[in-house]
Amino acid sequence: MNTRITDKLKDRSEGICELCTAEEATTAYAVSPKNNDAIENEVAICKTCLATLETKDASQHWQCLAGSIWNIEPAVQALSYRILYSYKDQEWANDIINSVDLDESVTNWALSAFQIQPLHLDSNGTELVSGDTVVLTQGLNVKGTSFTAAKGTIVRKIRLVPDNTEQIEGKINDQTIVILTKFV
């Protein structure tokens, strides 16, 4: 998500694009998967860099990342690394990537854009998404309560457990419970 540049970000960047350092910074660019809720997640970029981020073959412009990869701000490092990684098959980009030893958390942040998110699948192999309605395929004892969820119970508006693809959350009898995906 892109927003107008804040005074704090403008001060940090001295009003100059933190990627190319050639033009005035006009946009606060949030480095995904983080958002614009903190200056630490943003990079001040110019109109040219913003437009170039959307262009497929812009490798000539990104030669400037040889400087920005050394910026002290982790967001600038992560975005620079992410862009360079997308050109890693080109020698110039690979040379820049290999010239710097970034903190592992910055590298993971940068590479998060290239990772495929694991899927939550039901017992039939169908992908589940938040908000789905599911049916229990067997009776389940609900821990911490005095009831059993019967086979065939409908669970509406499920939520995916983000760090475990084998679990979803749903409400049964006004109780939010964790349900294993293999039972829906």
Side-chain angles (χ1 to χ4, degrees), residues 24-35:
E24 177 186 358
T26 57
T27 303
Y29 184 89
V31 183
S32 66
K34 300 181 181 185
N35 56 35

Side-chain angles (χ1 to χ4, degrees), residues 4 10 60 80 91 122 178:
R4 277 181 39 97
K10 195 171 197 169
Q60 289 299 324
S80 298
E91 187 177 342
D122 70 7
V178 174

Side-chain angles (χ1 to χ4, degrees), residues 109-153:
W109 182 8
L111 295 178
S112 68
F114 301 102
Q115 296 169 346
I116 298 170
Q117 296 297 320
L119 303 176
H120 287 71
L121 303 175
D122 70 7
S123 60
N124 297 316
T126 303
E127 181 181 356
L128 298 169
V129 294
S130 287
D132 277 353
T133 297
V134 296
V135 178
L136 298 181
T137 59
Q138 73 178 53
L140 301 175
N141 290 325
V142 181
K143 292 181 182 176
T145 68
S146 60
F147 69 89
T148 300
K151 178 179 179 178
T153 299

Side-chain angles (χ1 to χ4, degrees), residues 148-179:
T148 300
K151 178 179 179 178
T153 299
I154 297 172
V155 183
R156 300 180 197 287
K157 296 184 182 178
I158 65 163
R159 286 183 308 222
L160 305 180
V161 175
D163 56 347
N164 189 337
T165 60
E166 296 178 2
Q167 296 178 345
I168 59 171
E169 291 180 344
K171 280 193 175 189
I172 298 177
N173 294 347
D174 293 325
Q175 294 266 338
T176 300
I177 64 168
V178 174
I179 305 166

